[in-house]
Amino acid sequence: MNIATGAMNTLLPKLGELLVGEYKLQKGVKGEIEELEKELKGMTAALHKVAETPVDQLDQQVKIWASEVRELSYDIEDAIDTFMLKCKGHEPATSFKKVTNLFNKFKTNHQIHGVMKDIMDQVKKVSERRDRYIVDDNAARPTVVDVDSRLEAMYRKATELIGISKPKNELTKQLLEYDGSSSQQSNIISIVGFGGLGKTTLANSLFQELKAKFDSYCFVSVSLNPDINKILKNILLQLDEKMYSHIDETWETKQLIDKIRDFLNNRRFLCVIDDVWKKSAWDTIKLAVQDAKLGSKIIVTTRNKVVAEHAGGGVYEMKPLSDDDSRQLFCKRIFDSNDDCPADLCGVTEKILKKCGGVPLAIITTACLLASKPRNSEEWDKVNKSISLGLENNLDVDKMRKILSLSYNDLPFHLKTCLLSLSKYPEDELIRKDVLIWGWLAEGFITDETRPVGTSLQEIGESYFNELINRSLIQPMSEDNFWDEDDGKVHACKVHDMVLELINQLSVEEDFVTTYLSDGQQTGKHTCTAQKKKIRRLSLHNSNKSYASPEAREKLSKVRSITIFGKVDSIPPLSSFHVLRVLQLEDCSGMDKNHLNHLDKLRLLRFLRLGHYSATELPESIGKLESLETLDIRGARKPSSFKSHKVLFPMSFAKLRKLLRLYAGRVKLAQGLMLGDMKSLQELVIEATRKVIKEIGNLTELRTLRIVFGSEKTFELKESIQTSIQRLTNLQDLDLRNNISFEEIIDMQQVPSGLQRLFMPDSFMKAFPCWINSLMLSRLTTLSICLDFEYLQSDHLDRLAELPSLRFLRLQLRRGGLNDLDLENLYSLRHATIYSFDDDSKAHK
């Protein structure tokens, strides 16, 4: 029910803007808006309570109420956004004949009053239902306490354990090392990884094998919502059952901690703190065990890398099982042998194991499910497909979903919304971080409410992405085609199939994304009522689903986001989308510009992605997209061609006054179109031309500038761009690269002092740049440059070492290499974490 909360968070600020903006509202209308704002704030407070309760524990009436609030908030926001456009003079009155429900009354203040009255009537009805259901106090139904899923891992026989020998040996070696240090850092090892990878199994196997080597030992599980006193009492009981079998129930946390500390004083102990979710839980428990001496060891297991790093000491990241180990575990579970799969089942078995992705929990769950099915490939293939679609009902599958759901339930509501948005992607899709974040921004998933002072919404989006990685809910990926791939950061991700199955089902339950597959099926289990809901987000996977009928088009009128994967030969008529914010077409190589007829109807569109755009020009109607903030046409090319082609930008392009991000390749500007007039641009990725380079200096709001030089005649362009760059005082990210393999000498005289990232991997500098110093580049975190001389001097390294914010450094030397003195000085850099020096084909780190 977090989706309703997220929808409210984008709506309330807009109501406030209506009251203080330039919308010339009559006093009576303003009073109605203020009353609506108060009512919605009350709903939001109730929704926050609902969002804190796991979905499977919510009362059915509360679910219905929260769903009504979500739908209502969408309709109100759509109405307000459309009204704001009209009031600013951008919306012709004739277009409102096509807008349904709340939209057709915005012609006069009198009609606005009517719209507000309709909205308030609906809001009051929903509020009355809230009162009847007593939502605020009864969000959750009585909780049924499940058996702890980790118990099975605790009592699994050693002979059943597969694939843990290598990590176990590595950790055993670390745990038995004793250097005489009393440092807490050297006494703690955290095992971190995705739910179901076998962290508890590994920790328990280590515990059972090593505990005899210690004076005292204990193994406690923390879980998502821990009872800290109960955990501390459990520790005492395991340390000395006889002494603490009758613990005084009145003892408070401090007394329990003191008792544990007293007992462990001058003892060598082994302690496993399993399944830690939050830093706060660890911070309390560590008070009891932090004075580990005499080679005592503490093992922590967690799904969250941030928690592992917070605990200190070593961090061991668990990896999925290898293909061989996965196959062995599967066969042992279903055939009771290590490798005895019948030949006719080998093909479908490999498909199943690929879906399981080396996660032991997924492999064991699927094997248990198949054990009850006939052993033929048709039946197994049905099971494989049904799991993907979320259609399989089975106790083992339900148990696995509950384990994975714990990670979802622990997310704050804004991250739940962002994670559910990933349900629109196909299995095994490589997801670009930038595209993902732009979608979040366009739909309002990232708001000012969560933004710390001094950070941008884009930076907040990146922190969301990183947190989902740290929580092991998405998998970081590298991609050679991403030109950012060598800066030490993650620029893409994938979603594990089992997580995707979970969020697909959650997405269906919350009517978040409607996904049609190539065979016309929808993902997830659908109830009769769910299928009657309005479609708010639509994702098509190689789908040829028709939207020719009026009924089908009516379903599209409320769609806020449409994403199409696979080659797009046709798309639903754009005139059907009245409130669209995101249009994401991943492969437009089969389209021409006529497919984008009625693009001018998408007045609320904020993000437009045309992947592999094959037309040679953008439609003139693009200038009507007055809400557009991000345009991404990277990779434009003709069908069956790998070579990019130029795309003509029409004169109307200059009307996009809200455009913040333009990501393109080779472009041609229409006669009279001045790129420098696009004053709102903050991010620009484009191929260099004389006209483009000349105009860049006028884009004074630019934060990100990435230029590709596509021919050997670029020396003059690179020289002239320096003049433009000096005028960009807000620039933070500068990236200059060649699109073909050639190198030239460049004398970069100066760079903006606010730079945080500088990449120039193809242009060699004759001298070490004078601007590399702590005064000039105090905020620089990432540096990649090429030098056309043989050896670095000690003062060069000193200047690099003095850069206070530097985290990533890559220097390429055309000639020579590093002498011993260079290496010794290089490793004294205080903050750099990556060093890569190229000497011909050799890399030195």
Side-chain angles (χ1 to χ4, degrees):
M1 294 298 107
N2 53 285
I3 307 306
T5 309
M8 282 294 188
N9 283 341
T10 62
L11 173 58
L12 287 172
K14 291 178 181 178
L15 288 173
E17 187 178 344
L18 272 180
L19 292 171
V20 299
E22 72 251 25
Y23 298 101
K24 299 179 181 178
L25 298 179
Q26 292 176 350
K27 188 175 181 180
V29 176
K30 284 190 175 182
E32 290 168 344
I33 293 175
E34 288 171 346
E35 185 180 354
L36 173 62
E37 187 177 31
K38 290 177 183 177
E39 190 65 42
L40 293 181
K41 283 180 178 178
M43 285 186 175
T44 303
L47 283 170
H48 276 288
K49 291 185 178 181
V50 173
E52 292 170 358
T53 305
V55 176
D56 60 350
Q57 295 177 22
L58 282 174
D59 182 87
Q60 188 61 31
Q61 288 182 320
V62 174
K63 286 184 180 181
I64 293 171
W65 174 79
S67 177
E68 290 175 344
V69 173
R70 177 185 63 241
E71 294 300 316
L72 180 59
S73 66
Y74 285 152
D75 286 339
I76 296 173
E77 184 179 19
D78 292 342
I80 289 174
D81 283 348
T82 307
F83 169 61
M84 285 178 168
L85 277 181
K86 178 180 181 294
C87 285
K88 291 180 178 178
H90 298 303
E91 183 72 21
T94 55
S95 72
F96 280 91
K97 296 176 183 178
K98 299 180 181 179
V99 184
T100 58
N101 298 331
L102 303 174
F103 302 155
N104 55 7
K105 298 182 179 181
F106 280 140
K107 293 179 181 178
T108 65
N109 255 297
H110 176 73
Q111 289 172 320
I112 294 168
H113 165 75
V115 171
M116 293 305 303
K117 186 177 183 303
D118 289 348
I119 289 174
M120 280 304 301
D121 287 344
Q122 295 179 57
V123 168
K124 285 177 179 177
K125 287 178 182 177
V126 174
S127 294
E128 288 168 2
R129 280 192 282 276
R130 179 187 73 189
D131 296 335
R132 286 201 301 272
Y133 301 157
I134 322 178
V135 168
D136 304 66
D137 300 319
N138 297 313
R141 65 189 181 197
T143 303
V144 177
V145 179
D146 292 317
V147 175
D148 191 336
S149 58
R150 294 182 301 277
L151 286 176
E152 185 180 350
M154 297 284 288
Y155 292 101
R156 192 165 290 151
K157 295 177 182 177
T159 54
E160 296 179 2
L161 303 180
I162 292 173
I164 71 165
S165 297
K166 183 180 178 182
K168 183 178 176 182
N169 291 338
E170 291 175 1
L171 288 172
T172 297
K173 184 179 178 182
Q174 294 181 48
L175 288 165
L176 293 182
E177 286 178 350
Y178 175 44
D179 58 5
S181 170
S182 62
S183 167
Q184 181 188 355
Q185 299 293 316
S186 63
N187 294 325
I188 300 173
I189 292 179
S190 293
I191 303 172
V192 64
F194 177 75
L197 268 182
K199 300 181 296 295
T200 299
T201 301
L202 174 59
N204 185 57
S205 182
L206 287 165
F207 179 74
Q208 297 300 335
E209 184 167 311
L210 300 178
K211 63 183 182 181
K213 301 180 184 296
F214 294 83
D215 302 328
S216 301
Y217 46 83
C218 62
F219 189 120
V220 291
S221 294
V222 178
S223 76
L224 181 56
N225 297 301
D227 181 336
I228 295 296
N229 280 6
K230 185 177 180 180
I231 292 168
L232 295 174
K233 290 173 184 177
N234 191 1
I235 292 175
L236 280 173
L237 196 61
Q238 292 185 51
L239 292 176
D240 193 324
E241 185 175 2
K242 185 176 181 180
M243 183 184 298
Y244 298 109
S245 57
H246 302 288
I247 296 176
D248 189 337
E249 293 300 321
T250 64
W251 283 358
E252 296 183 354
T253 304
K254 184 179 184 304
Q255 290 172 286
L256 292 167
I257 289 173
D258 289 342
K259 289 290 183 183
I260 295 171
R261 289 168 64 94
D262 289 344
F263 185 92
L264 294 178
N265 188 35
N266 294 323
R267 280 187 169 94
R268 185 169 182 263
F269 64 88
L270 173 64
C271 182
V272 177
I273 313 295
D274 183 43
D275 200 29
V276 181
W277 287 78
K278 294 181 172 64
K279 291 188 286 187
S280 57
W282 164 253
D283 286 341
T284 302
I285 295 171
K286 76 174 181 181
L287 297 174
V289 297
Q290 65 183 355
D291 291 335
K293 300 175 182 176
L294 305 174
S296 295
K297 297 294 178 180
I298 301 168
I299 302 172
V300 177
T301 74
T302 180
R303 302 186 190 193
N304 194 333
K305 191 175 180 181
V306 171
V307 172
E309 292 172 343
H310 177 72
V315 175
Y316 185 88
E317 295 191 45
M318 283 204 74
K319 300 292 189 289
L321 295 179
S322 66
D323 291 345
D324 288 341
D325 285 338
S326 296
R327 196 176 299 108
Q328 183 181 347
L329 178 59
F330 180 83
C331 291
K332 193 172 184 66
R333 280 283 169 153
I334 200 166
F335 303 120
D336 200 27
S337 67
N338 288 343
D339 192 8
D340 192 21
C341 182
D344 63 319
L345 294 176
C346 287
V348 68
T349 296
E350 291 306 310
K351 291 179 183 178
I352 290 169
L353 291 177
K354 180 178 180 294
K355 191 182 300 295
C356 292
V359 176
L361 174 67
I363 296 169
I364 292 170
T365 298
T366 308
C368 291
L369 174 60
L370 290 169
S372 63
K373 305 288 183 182
R375 291 188 181 181
N376 64 69
S377 58
E378 291 80 9
E379 285 294 327
W380 282 28
D381 200 47
K382 285 181 184 177
V383 171
N384 181 42
K385 290 178 179 177
S386 67
I387 292 176
S388 295
L389 294 171
L391 304 178
E392 191 63 46
N393 283 316
N394 176 274
L395 288 176
D396 291 302
V397 173
D398 286 345
K399 182 174 71 173
M400 182 178 69
R401 285 178 185 153
K402 284 182 179 178
I403 292 171
L404 296 178
S405 293
L406 289 173
S407 293
Y408 175 79
N409 292 335
D410 184 50
L411 294 173
F413 69 84
H414 58 274
L415 284 184
K416 287 179 180 175
T417 304
C418 292
L419 181 64
L420 285 191
S421 73
L422 291 163
S423 64
K424 72 181 181 181
Y425 286 94
E427 287 183 2
D428 300 320
E429 183 77 9
L430 188 69
I431 304 168
R432 295 192 66 126
K433 177 177 71 172
D434 50 11
V435 172
L436 184 63
I437 292 174
W438 295 335
W440 292 347
L441 289 167
E443 287 213 62
F445 299 161
I446 306 170
T447 63
D448 283 321
E449 185 183 30
T450 58
R451 177 169 63 168
V453 177
T455 58
S456 66
L457 292 179
Q458 176 84 22
E459 289 170 327
I460 297 302
E462 294 197 10
S463 73
Y464 288 2
F465 179 86
N466 293 336
E467 188 165 356
L468 290 175
I469 288 177
N470 287 335
R471 289 172 178 262
S472 305
L473 286 167
I474 59 177
Q475 301 167 306
M477 303 296 295
S478 62
E479 170 56 48
D480 292 340
N481 292 328
F482 294 176
W483 73 348
D484 295 322
E485 43 85 22
D486 59 353
D487 66 356
K489 292 185 177 181
V490 176
H491 294 275
C493 71
K494 280 188 177 182
V495 185
H496 191 283
D497 285 353
M498 294 300 167
V499 175
L500 184 60
E501 188 273 326
L502 171 70
I503 60 177
N504 279 342
Q505 191 54 46
L506 290 170
S507 177
V508 168
E509 290 172 5
E510 299 212 15
D511 299 307
F512 190 67
V513 176
T514 301
T515 299
Y516 288 99
L517 306 178
S518 56
D519 57 3
Q521 278 191 290
Q522 280 184 255
T523 57
K525 290 183 287 188
H526 295 260
T527 63
C528 294
T529 55
Q531 292 188 9
K532 294 178 182 177
K533 293 281 187 180
K534 300 169 185 174
I535 298 177
R536 299 292 182 176
R537 296 170 187 85
L538 181 63
S539 179
L540 305 177
H541 299 179
N542 297 296
S543 175
N544 56 4
K545 185 173 176 62
S546 172
Y547 288 91
S549 69
E551 294 80 10
R553 294 191 183 192
E554 173 62 25
K555 281 188 174 183
L556 303 180
S557 65
K558 299 291 187 180
V559 171
R560 301 159 74 88
S561 167
I562 179 169
T563 308
I564 303 181
F565 298 94
K567 192 171 183 179
V568 181
D569 297 317
S570 64
I571 58 177
L574 296 181
S575 57
S576 303
F577 299 103
H578 301 156
V579 294
L580 197 69
R581 272 78 167 177
V582 174
L583 177 57
Q584 182 179 339
L585 309 179
E586 287 299 317
D587 187 354
C588 302
S589 58
M591 293 174 55
D592 58 41
K593 71 172 184 176
N594 293 326
H595 285 100
L596 296 177
N597 287 340
H598 305 298
L599 187 66
D600 58 321
K601 304 299 183 185
L602 308 181
R603 297 300 179 84
L604 298 180
L605 193 70
R606 295 171 188 163
F607 174 33
L608 175 60
R609 172 168 165 80
L610 303 174
H612 304 306
Y613 186 62
S614 56
T616 56
E617 57 184 301
L618 291 174
E620 186 73 26
S621 58
I622 197 170
K624 298 286 188 179
L625 304 179
E626 61 252 54
S627 300
L628 192 66
E629 296 176 349
T630 304
L631 175 61
D632 181 4
I633 58 167
R634 289 172 293 186
R637 58 179 173 81
K638 292 290 186 182
S640 305
S641 172
F642 293 101
K643 186 178 180 181
S644 63
H645 67 81
K646 284 187 178 181
V647 177
L648 175 67
F649 282 26
M651 272 298 296
S652 63
F653 186 77
K655 297 179 181 179
L656 301 178
R657 296 302 183 185
K658 290 187 177 180
L659 192 67
L660 301 176
R661 305 169 196 89
L662 172 58
Y663 280 64
R666 300 174 64 196
V667 303
K668 181 179 180 181
L669 304 180
Q671 185 69 31
L673 175 60
M674 308 296 286
L675 186 64
D677 290 339
M678 309 293 290
K679 301 296 186 182
S680 60
L681 273 179
Q682 295 181 7
E683 300 178 28
L684 176 62
V685 175
I686 199 167
E687 188 165 316
T689 65
R690 284 185 174 83
K691 190 173 182 180
V692 165
I693 296 300
K694 182 179 179 182
E695 292 289 313
I696 282 174
N698 295 322
L699 302 175
T700 54
E701 292 300 313
L702 276 184
R703 269 66 168 172
T704 295
L705 175 61
R706 301 178 189 174
I707 302 291
V708 176
F709 296 87
S711 70
E712 295 187 17
K713 299 178 180 179
T714 62
F715 179 75
E716 290 183 6
L717 291 179
K718 285 192 176 182
E719 287 291 311
S720 62
I721 199 175
Q722 294 191 53
T723 304
S724 296
I725 289 173
Q726 296 315 307
R727 298 167 61 187
L728 305 179
T729 56
N730 292 309
L731 197 63
Q732 299 173 359
D733 183 346
L734 176 61
D735 199 323
L736 307 178
R737 304 201 182 199
N738 297 338
N739 199 27
I740 58 177
S741 180
F742 68 93
E743 300 167 347
E744 76 270 285
I745 306 297
I746 187 172
D747 181 18
M748 196 75 170
Q749 295 290 332
Q750 196 57 272
V751 296
S753 60
L755 273 186
Q756 298 177 17
R757 181 181 180 278
L758 174 61
F759 259 66
M760 294 179 59
D762 305 308
S763 302
F764 284 84
M765 302 179 190
K766 278 284 188 183
F768 193 81
C770 62
W771 36 263
I772 294 184
N773 60 72
S774 58
L775 293 177
M776 186 69 184
L777 297 176
S778 62
R779 300 173 62 191
L780 191 72
T781 63
T782 304
L783 176 64
S784 176
I785 57 174
C786 303
L787 302 172
D788 189 44
F789 48 82
E790 191 166 353
Y791 291 112
L792 289 173
Q793 303 300 318
S794 58
D795 67 308
H796 300 157
L797 297 178
D798 289 342
R799 282 158 59 189
L800 286 168
E802 289 170 359
L803 295 177
S805 304
L806 192 63
R807 295 293 182 272
F808 178 96
L809 171 65
R810 184 176 187 271
L811 299 182
Q812 182 176 347
L813 303 182
R814 188 200 289 266
R815 297 176 284 115
L818 299 172
N819 55 34
D820 292 339
L821 178 62
D822 287 331
L823 284 171
E824 182 180 350
N825 287 347
L826 180 63
Y827 287 114
S828 70
L829 280 172
R830 293 193 298 267
H831 299 297
T833 57
I834 300 178
Y835 313 95
S836 179
F837 282 70
D838 293 347
D839 176 7
D840 296 328
S841 62
K842 298 178 182 178
H844 306 271
K845 293 187 178 180

